[in-house]
Amino acid sequence: MDTSNTMVDAPSLSLSQSLVKRIFDFILALLGLLCVWWLIAIAFMAACLDTRSNGFFVQQRVGKGGRAFKVVKIKTMRPDTMTTTTVTRSGDPRITPLGRFFRKTKIDELPQLWNVLLGQMSFVGPRPDVPGYADTLVGVEQAVLSIRPGITGPATLKYRNEEEILASQPEPERYNREVIYPDKVQVNLQYIRDWTFWGDIRYILQTVFG
């Protein structure tokens, strides 16, 4: 990859677009937390019993500008000190039966409303990656880090069955790094180029009702 690439032709949101996006995120995240705090509390307590550990899954991710932050989700896996991979496949034995329900219904994603409220995430954008992915981008592809990572987005929707895809691969971690992740980067760059407020609304609706 040509590391001499500049950001001149890289897609980006204007100041007014970024402001509209942030105001929308803040208002919707605040309303969302007021409406579903009780569900998050119940899911947290259930996950504590189910995994016999802290019901919140907290992990360092790479955010806007390459800055690290702690993403918060409902825990869906049993603690496993023997496994080091960050790739999750369908049928992963670490996922509990209750965890599968939380994943299928997206209840495990609800605590990220707090990340959105704090300005660490957006409702729509690239998924926040663990170190070793987004923070290694160079050239124009670094534009992915010019916006806040999202709970959902076009790449998330395109690969909504990602766990099943990886389960069919003999080397899932390599396939994720060499095939899926590069494609996600291109999808997210196109999202930034084509960004509209109503486009974000459409992605949220597709996530909730799709």
Side-chain angles (χ1 to χ4, degrees), residues 1 9 14-16 24 43 48 50 65 70 87 91 94 96 103 131 136 138 148 174 196 209-210:
M1 188 176 295
D9 298 320
S14 68
L15 181 61
S16 61
F24 172 75
C48 286
D50 187 45
K70 298 290 187 180
V87 173
R94 294 173 295 170
T96 68
R103 284 169 173 262
T136 65
V138 295
R148 294 177 178 86
R174 180 178 178 180
T196 65
F209 300 107

Side-chain angles (χ1 to χ4, degrees), residues 152-161 202-204 206-208 210:
T152 189
T156 302
L157 291 168
K158 180 176 181 179
Y159 288 101
R160 65 171 71 220
N161 63 335
R202 177 167 55 85
Y203 289 128
I204 292 172
Q206 286 178 346
T207 300
V208 175

